[in-house]
C-alpha cells in the first residue's frame, strides 16, 4: 500500500519478476483478468478504480467511487464490481459504458441486516449466472444477489433458512464449479468449505496461530489452476499456500506450506491467482478446449434430444448491445441436451456484418471460432452492427444441430 507498486511473481519464482508503479494510494484490492489486465483500488484519495492495460502498459480510470474498494471483481460480461466496506454497498459498472459512475447492485448504503442491506461487505464473487455473492462481514453471513435483484438471500450464517452453520466475521468467498462455497473466516482464523455433506473446516481448524497449519485473521482466498489455495494471512503478515494433492483413490487433501512476504505484497499475488481461478472454476460443464462431454445417464439406448443454446449477454437485431471498440469482450454460451452416452460436439462461430443487410461473413486471425465461448480482442472488429452466431452439432449424431445469435454494435 505504501510503496505504490504492484509486484508480480511468475510461477515457482521466489522473487518478483515484474514491478508496476502507479499513482494509487492506500490500495486494498486488485483483480487480474485472464488477458493480464489489472484492476486496482485507488479510492482512498483519488476516488477511482484504475485499470493497468498489459498491452500498452499504462493506467486508465475505469470507475468513479466515493470510497475504497475492499473487494474487486470483473465478471465474464466485462462488468466491474467494487465492495465498499464503510459505505455498506456493492457497486457495479459495465466497462463498455461511457459513464464512469457505477450503480448499486447490493446494499442501500445504510448498515443493517435486512435483505436489502449489508454491514461491512468484504470479499465478493460473481458466478457464471452473474449472481453476486458477498461476504457480509459484520452480519456474519454470506449473501447472494441474483441478477437485477436488490433483495439478497442468506446462503450461509445468520438468517439462513437452510444452513445452520455459523460464521464469525467472514471476509472472503469463492465458489467452485459445483457452486460449493469456500469461505475465509477472519474471526476464527480458518478456511471452511462446503461439499455434498455440508460444511467443514479445511484450514486452521485448531485455532488461530502462526504455525504452517494455522492462520490469523485471514483476509481472502483464491485458487490457482492446479487447485492449490492461496490465503492472505493478514494477522501473520504473510501469504499461505496450501498444496492440493489427489490420492490414487481420488480423495483430495491439502498439504500446508508457508510463504512469508511483506504485508504490502499480499493483495498482488492473491488477486493474480484469483483471475486464473475464475477461469478454472467458473467454466460450464462443457470444456471449451476439448469439447468432450460425458453424461451420467444409465447406459441404455436412447436417442439424443435437440440442442438448446443460450448466449450471454442477450440481444436482438432491433436492440443490439453497444460495446466500445477499444475493449475486449466475451460471448458466453450455455448448452443443454440429454444423451445416453459420452459424445463430442463441434462448435463453430460465424460473424456477419449487419450494418446494411447481414450478408458478409467475416474472419479474423485473432479470434478462435471453434470454442463454445467467444473472446473478441479490442480493436479487432471495425465499427458497425454485427451478428454473432454459435452453431453446435453432435459429431455422433450429425442430424442434431442448433444455432443461436446475438447482435452487437461496435
Amino acid at each position: 500500500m505504501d510503496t505504490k507498486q504492484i509486484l508480480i511473481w511468475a510461477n515457482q519464482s521466489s522473487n518478483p519478476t515484474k514491478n508496476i508503479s502507479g499513482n494509487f494510494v492506500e490500495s486494498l484490492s486488485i483483480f487480474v483478468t485472464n488477458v493480464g489486465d489489472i484492476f486496482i483500488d485507488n479510492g482512498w484519495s483519488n476516488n477511482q478504480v484504475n485499470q493497468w492495460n498489459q498491452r500498452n502498459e499504462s493506467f486508465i480510470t475505469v470507475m468513479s467511487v466515493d470510497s475504497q474498494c475492499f473487494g474487486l471483481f470483473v465478471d465474464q460480461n466485462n462488468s466491474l464490481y467494487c465492495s465498499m466496506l464503510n459505505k455498506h454497498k456493492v457497486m457495479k459498472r459495465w466497462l463498455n459504458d461511457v459513464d464512469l459512475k457505477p450503480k448499486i447492485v447490493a446494499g442501500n448504503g445504510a448498515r443493517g441486516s435486512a435483505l436489502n442491506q449489508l454491514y461491512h461487505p468484504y470479499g465478493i464473487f460473481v458466478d457464471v449466472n452473474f449472481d453476486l455473492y458477498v461476504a457480509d462481514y459484520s452480519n456474519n453471513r454470506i449473501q447472494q444477489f441474483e441478477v437485477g435483484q436488490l433483495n439478497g438471500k442468506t446462503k450461509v450464517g445468520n438468517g439462513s433458512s437452510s444452513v445452520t452453520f455459523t460464521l464469525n466475521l467472514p471476509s472472503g468467498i469463492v465458489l467452485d464449479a459445483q457452486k460449493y462455497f469456500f469461505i475465509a473466516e477472519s474471526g476464527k482464523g480458518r478456511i471452511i468449505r462446503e461439499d455434498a455433506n455440508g460444511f467443514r473446516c479445511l484450514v486452521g481448524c485448531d485455532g488461530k496461530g502462526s504455525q504452517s497449519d494455522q492462520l490469523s485473521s485471514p483476509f481472502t482466498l483464491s485458487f490457482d489452476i492446479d487447485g492449490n489455495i492461496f490465503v492472505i494471512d493478514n494477522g501473520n503478515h504473510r501469504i499461505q499456500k496450501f498444496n492440493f494433492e489427489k490420492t490414487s483413490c481420488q480423495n483430495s487433501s491439502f498439504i500446508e506450506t508457508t510463504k512469508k512476504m511483506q504485508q504490502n505484497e499480499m493483495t498482488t499475488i492473491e488477486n493474480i491467482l484469483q483471475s486464473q481461478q475464475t477461469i478454472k472454476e467458473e467454466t460450464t460443464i462443457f470444456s471449451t478446449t476439448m469439447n468432450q462431454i460425458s453424461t451420467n445417464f444409465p447406459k441404455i439406448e436412447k436417442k439424443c434430444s435437440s440442442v438448446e443454446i443460450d448466449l450471454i449477454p442477450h440481444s436482438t437485431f432491433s436492440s443490439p448491445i453497444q460495446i466500445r471498440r477499444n475493449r475486449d469482450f466475451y460471448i458466453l454460451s450455455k448448452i443443454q441436451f440429454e444423451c445416453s452416452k459420452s459424445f463430442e460436439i463441434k462448435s463453430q462461430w460465424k460473424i456477419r456484418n449487419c450494418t446494411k443487410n447481414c450478408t458478409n461473413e467475416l474472419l479474423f486471425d485473432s479470434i478462435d471460432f471453434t470454442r463454445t465461448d467467444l473472446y473478441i480482442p479490442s480493436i479487432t472488429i471495425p465499427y458497425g452492427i454485427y451478428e454473432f452466431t454459435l452453431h453446435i452439432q453432435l459429431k455422433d449424431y450429425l442430424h442434431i444441430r442448433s444455432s443461436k445469435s446475438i447482435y452487437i454494435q461496435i
Side-chain angles (χ1 to χ4, degrees):
M1 292 189 297
D2 297 329
T3 59
K4 300 183 179 181
Q5 294 177 333
I6 299 173
L7 304 179
I8 300 175
W9 281 257
N11 191 26
Q12 305 299 327
S13 174
S14 58
N15 296 309
T17 56
K18 190 176 184 65
N19 184 323
I20 303 172
S21 298
N23 185 31
F24 31 85
V25 181
E26 297 292 332
S27 299
L28 295 177
S29 58
I30 67 173
F31 186 93
V32 185
T33 69
N34 63 325
V35 295
D37 290 348
I38 301 173
F39 294 80
I40 183 167
D41 164 51
N42 195 6
W44 175 256
S45 59
N46 292 322
N47 299 317
Q48 58 191 224
V49 177
N50 299 135
Q51 176 188 357
W52 182 81
N53 190 303
Q54 62 89 21
R55 291 191 177 187
N56 53 31
E57 298 196 349
S58 63
F59 283 97
I60 60 172
T61 300
V62 291
M63 181 186 283
S64 298
V65 295
D66 59 356
S67 173
Q68 290 173 289
C69 297
F70 275 70
L72 288 172
F73 200 98
V74 179
D75 69 19
Q76 296 186 19
N77 195 29
N78 212 26
S79 291
L80 172 64
Y81 299 75
C82 160
S83 63
M84 298 181 176
L85 180 81
N86 296 317
K87 296 288 186 177
H88 313 292
K89 61 185 178 181
V90 179
M91 308 296 290
K92 170 186 173 182
R93 175 183 175 259
W94 187 41
L95 291 173
N96 295 307
D97 198 344
V98 177
D99 190 358
L100 291 176
K101 186 178 180 180
K103 64 178 182 179
I104 293 180
V105 291
N108 60 10
R111 71 184 187 185
S113 59
L115 293 181
N116 67 337
Q117 291 180 307
L118 298 168
Y119 190 179
H120 294 147
Y122 263 70
I124 52 179
F125 187 92
V126 182
D127 66 15
V128 292
N129 296 319
F130 304 104
D131 291 342
L132 168 67
Y133 295 83
V134 182
D136 195 4
Y137 185 81
S138 293
N139 277 325
N140 296 314
R141 65 187 184 181
I142 301 296
Q143 294 292 92
Q144 176 195 14
F145 295 86
E146 296 179 349
V147 178
Q149 299 298 316
L150 291 177
N151 283 335
K153 299 178 181 179
T154 304
K155 306 299 291 185
V156 190
N158 288 349
S160 172
S161 60
S162 58
V163 181
T164 58
F165 196 89
T166 60
L167 296 175
N168 188 341
L169 304 180
S171 55
I173 175 67
V174 171
L175 274 67
D176 67 13
Q178 284 73 46
K179 290 196 173 184
Y180 287 132
F181 292 98
F182 288 77
I183 301 170
E185 194 176 11
S186 181
K188 291 187 177 180
R190 63 181 182 173
I191 305 298
I192 60 174
R193 68 160 297 177
E194 180 190 21
D195 56 26
N197 298 317
F199 287 88
R200 64 182 177 89
C201 180
L202 187 65
V203 176
C205 305
D206 296 325
K208 293 183 179 181
S210 58
Q211 300 300 315
S212 63
D213 61 346
Q214 292 180 308
L215 300 168
S216 178
S217 300
F219 188 64
T220 57
L221 77 158
S222 56
F223 292 80
D224 66 11
I225 59 176
D226 298 316
N228 304 314
I229 298 180
F230 289 76
V231 182
I232 294 183
D233 191 9
N234 192 50
N236 287 319
H237 306 287
R238 65 187 183 185
I239 291 177
Q240 288 282 78
K241 177 185 177 183
F242 298 90
N243 293 326
F244 175 76
E245 294 185 353
K246 275 192 174 182
T247 68
S248 59
C249 297
Q250 298 299 312
N251 294 321
S252 61
S253 61
F254 287 88
I255 308 299
E256 296 85 14
T257 61
T258 303
K259 287 180 179 279
K260 293 187 177 181
M261 300 180 182
Q262 296 298 320
Q263 186 175 10
N264 67 318
E265 299 171 358
M266 291 182 181
T267 54
T268 302
I269 291 294
E270 188 276 331
N271 285 280
I272 289 173
L273 293 165
Q274 181 176 343
S275 68
Q276 296 176 327
Q277 186 275 333
T278 301
I279 303 167
K280 181 73 174 181
E281 299 296 335
E282 286 198 330
T283 51
T284 61
I285 59 172
F286 302 99
S287 168
T288 58
T289 302
M290 299 297 294
N291 284 339
Q292 178 69 40
I293 300 153
S294 297
T295 62
N296 296 318
F297 295 99
K299 293 183 178 180
I300 58 175
E301 287 301 320
K302 180 180 178 181
K303 292 183 179 180
C304 293
S305 64
S306 59
V307 183
E308 296 182 4
I309 304 174
D310 184 26
L311 298 181
I312 303 172
H314 305 95
S315 68
T316 62
F317 177 76
S318 60
S319 182
I321 295 172
Q322 295 183 346
I323 292 180
R324 299 169 72 175
R325 190 168 182 262
N326 63 346
R327 298 288 188 187
D328 302 333
F329 68 92
Y330 298 82
I331 302 174
L332 308 180
S333 65
K334 292 183 181 180
I335 306 167
Q336 295 182 340
F337 47 83
E338 183 177 316
C339 199
S340 59
K341 62 179 181 179
S342 299
F343 55 89
E344 292 183 70
I345 66 171
K346 178 182 178 181
S347 57
Q348 182 68 46
W349 284 90
K350 292 185 178 180
I351 303 176
R352 295 196 301 170
N353 190 331
C354 292
T355 305
K356 293 184 178 180
N357 50 18
C358 286
T359 57
N360 297 327
E361 184 176 340
L362 306 176
L363 295 175
F364 302 93
D365 293 336
S366 59
I367 299 177
D368 186 350
F369 289 88
T370 62
R371 294 176 176 265
T372 52
D373 295 337
L374 189 67
Y375 165 60
I376 309 294
S378 63
I379 319 298
T380 300
I381 299 179
Y383 294 104
I385 299 175
Y386 296 88
E387 176 190 72
F388 294 79
T389 304
L390 174 61
H391 298 268
I392 295 292
Q393 183 179 36
L394 275 63
K395 290 187 176 180
D396 293 335
Y397 302 88
L398 298 180
H399 64 286
I400 297 179
R401 63 184 67 189
S402 185
S403 63
K404 191 67 176 287
S405 301
I406 69 168
Y407 297 87
I408 294 176
Q409 181 177 6
I410 305 296

